[in-house]
Structures are given as C-alpha cells and as structure tokens.
Amino acid sequence: MASGRANGEVGRDLILRAAVDVLMTSGLRAATTRAVTERAGVGTGLLNHYFRWQELRAAAWRAIFDQVAAAQFAPDVEPRAALESYFATAFEPDARQFWQLWIEASDLSTIDLAMAEALRDIQARLHGGLVATLRSGSDAGLWRLADVDATALRLGALYDGLAALLISKAQSLNAHEAERHLRAAFDLECGRIVAE
C-alpha cells in the first residue's frame, strides 16, 4: 500500500513539474495536456487519473508564483532593501514571462474557478508581502505612509498596469520608464515632491 502511494505521489509530482515547465515555456494560453504528457513521458490517461486539466494548470501556475512570492518578499530582508529589490526587478527582461503568465491567469480567472482561486491566493500573498515590507519600513521610520494597506494596493495595481503596457506595446514605454513611474508613485505616497 505504501509503495502504491509513493508511486502515485511520484506520478503526480512528475506531471505537475512537467506542467510547470510547459507553462514557463509556452504560457497558459498555449499550454496543452498533450504538451504536458509529452514533457512528463506519460499517457493522457495517467494525467487524467491525477488531475482535471483546469486544476493541473492552476496548480502549476500557483507553483510558479509561490516561488516568485517567496523570492520577492523574503522575511529576513531589511525593508529598504526589499523595497529597492521590488522596484529594481519589477520590469527586468527576465520578469516578462511572469507578467505574461499573470495577465493570462487574470484573463482565464473570469471563466476558470481553479485559476481564479490560485490567482486570488497568490495576489493576497504578494499584497501581504508588500504590506509587511511597507509597514516594517514605516515602523522603523524609513518612510511615512498614511495608510500602508492602501499604498500597497495602489503600488500593486500600478505595477500590474505598467507590466501590461510593456507587454502590449500599447505605448512607447520602456522598462526604465516603468520603474521610474513606480518609484515616483511611492514617493508621492510618502508625501515627497517628485521632479519629472
């Protein structure tokens, strides 16, 4: 009995890891069960034994963003350094695939309950990490904010909006300008004068 369970866990983990790889390579829209089974080296029947497609896709997306959240707001990082990293890495070229996955998940979440739940959970985790960083910095006197939670909400929304503009190429915005806008928004939140 124990070996059957271990084999089941190995099968589930293998399929989940393959799904993560497919999402990172192809994105959510282009990902298919066929691509996952080929990557995992298993048949469709085994995938269907362990997962419904929507649940697997959401679980793989969540696994990716669990790592992003853990890296973005590590608890042992000093608040000023954590916020600097948030600004400096937000629009790096390496982040582009994560923005794309985020936008695709947002789109899918309107019709896919599993994705909606994963997106809601990760969004709450990222928001909570930003709130904790901002509050810790406020408590240490590094900056002054009237409402830490509201500031985190506005910064997160601006971050998402700027990333969407960069992906869509709807405006002639580059990563450096996007970062500058995010930093300027924080300065305004702190009541600092922003010179453009």
Side-chain angles (χ1 to χ4, degrees), residues 77-107:
V77 178
E78 184 269 330
R80 190 185 324 257
L83 193 60
E84 176 56 31
S85 176
Y86 178 75
F87 293 142
T89 63
F91 307 110
E92 286 183 332
D94 291 347
R96 190 174 199 84
Q97 70 189 75
F98 297 105
W99 309 333
Q100 189 67 46
L101 285 169
W102 188 271
I103 289 168
E104 290 176 351
S106 297
D107 290 345

Side-chain angles (χ1 to χ4, degrees), residues 124-142:
R125 186 168 168 199
L126 289 168
H127 177 76
L130 184 54
V131 166
T133 296
L134 294 174
R135 181 164 290 120
S136 181
S138 248
D139 292 348
L142 300 174

Side-chain angles (χ1 to χ4, degrees), residues 36-158:
V36 172
T37 56
E38 286 176 1
R39 179 74 50 107
V42 300
T44 305
L46 189 61
L47 183 146
N48 291 332
H49 174 73
Y50 291 119
F51 297 100
R52 286 185 33 242
W53 175 237
Q54 291 83 359
E55 292 167 352
L56 174 58
R57 187 173 53 189
W61 184 90
R62 182 191 300 263
I64 291 165
F65 280 92
D66 275 340
Q67 291 181 355
V68 168
Q72 193 167 57
F73 297 111
D76 57 340
V77 178
E78 184 269 330
R80 190 185 324 257
L83 193 60
E84 176 56 31
S85 176
Y86 178 75
F87 293 142
T89 63
F91 307 110
E92 286 183 332
D94 291 347
R96 190 174 199 84
Q97 70 189 75
F98 297 105
W99 309 333
Q100 189 67 46
L101 285 169
W102 188 271
I103 289 168
E104 290 176 351
S106 297
D107 290 345
L108 264 176
S109 71
T110 63
I111 58 170
D112 183 328
L113 293 176
M115 189 59 71
E117 182 180 335
L119 181 64
R120 186 174 43 252
D121 291 350
I122 294 295
Q123 200 164 32
R125 186 168 168 199
L126 289 168
H127 177 76
L130 184 54
V131 166
T133 296
L134 294 174
R135 181 164 290 120
S136 181
S138 248
D139 292 348
L142 300 174
W143 47 72
R144 290 178 44 191
L145 298 169
D147 183 339
V148 169
D149 195 64
T151 295
L153 181 66
R154 288 188 287 269
L155 287 176
L158 181 59

